[in-house]
C-alpha cells in the first residue's frame, strides 16, 4: 500500500455537535427574505382586503377582469355586491374580484353635513 496506516488515522474527522455558525447564513437569508418579500406582501394583502370591505354604493371600481363598473348595491358583511357595467346592465359579483376603487363617494352622513354647512353659508350672505 502507498499510504501508511498511521498517516491515514491522523486525519481529523468531522467535528461533532451542533454548530450555530454554520446555520447563520441561512438565518440571515430568511430574515432578508422576510423583510424584503414576505412582510410587504402581507401589508398589501391587508390593505386590499380593507379596500374591498369599505366599498359603498356609487363607488367606481375596476374588476379583476378589467371592467369599469359602478357599485349599485353593497351590503356590509355580504360576500357579493351588485354593480352596473353599462346603463341598465347590472350584475352580481364577489367582493374578492374587485381590483381597485377608481373613485370613492362620500359617506351619506358626510354629504348631509356638507349640505348643512353650505346652507349656513348661504344664510349668512
Amino acid at each position: 500500500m502507498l499510504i501508511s496506516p498511521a498517516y491515514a488515522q491522523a486525519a481529523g474527522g468531522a467535528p461533532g455537535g451542533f454548530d450555530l455558525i454554520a446555520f447563520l447564513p441561512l438565518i440571515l437569508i430568511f430574515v432578508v427574505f422576510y423583510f424584503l418579500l414576505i412582510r410587504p406582501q402581507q401589508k398589501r394583502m391587508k390593505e386590499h382586503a380593507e379596500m374591498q370591505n369599505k366599498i359603498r354604493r356609487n363607488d367606481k371600481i375596476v374588476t379583476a377582469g378589467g371592467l369599469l363598473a359602478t357599485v349599485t348595491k353593497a351590503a356590509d358583511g355580504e360576500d357579493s355586491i351588485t354593480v352596473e357595467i353599462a346603463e341598465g346592465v347590472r350584475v352580481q359579483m364577489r367582493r374578492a374580484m374587485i381590483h381597485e376603487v377608481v373613485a370613492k363617494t362620500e359617506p351619506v352622513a358626510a354629504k348631509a353635513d356638507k349640505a348643512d354647512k353650505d346652507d349656513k353659508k348661504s344664510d349668512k350672505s
Side-chain angles (χ1 to χ4, degrees):
M1 257 211 290
L2 299 174
I3 301 175
S4 69
Y7 182 69
Q9 290 177 356
F18 180 73
D19 191 13
L20 184 63
I21 305 281
F23 286 106
L24 191 60
L26 292 174
I27 294 169
L28 289 175
I29 289 172
F30 179 75
V31 169
V32 168
F33 269 98
Y34 177 77
F35 282 107
L36 293 179
L37 297 173
I38 298 170
R39 190 168 174 226
Q41 179 63 26
Q42 288 176 339
K43 185 179 177 184
R44 276 192 298 266
M45 288 174 54
K46 184 179 177 182
E47 289 172 354
H48 190 72
E50 186 177 317
M51 178 266 309
Q52 289 175 343
N53 290 331
K54 288 185 176 181
I55 291 178
R56 292 187 304 263
R57 191 168 174 245
N58 293 329
D59 285 351
K60 306 264 190 249
I61 62 168
V62 177
T63 66
L67 294 175
L68 296 171
T70 304
V71 178
T72 57
K73 181 182 173 187
D76 290 335
E78 287 188 18
D79 193 33
S80 64
I81 62 171
T82 304
V83 296
E84 186 172 19
I85 55 176
E87 193 170 325
V89 180
R90 293 183 178 178
V91 294
Q92 281 191 337
M93 64 179 291
R94 297 180 62 97
R95 283 184 189 264
M97 292 293 106
I98 297 170
H99 180 66
E100 71 177 299
V101 176
V102 178
K104 294 278 297 171
T105 57
E106 293 182 26
V108 176
K111 286 182 181 179
D113 292 340
K114 187 177 180 181
D116 290 341
K117 288 179 184 178
D118 291 340
D119 289 341
K120 289 178 183 178
K121 286 180 183 178
S122 63
D123 290 342
K124 290 181 182 178
S125 300

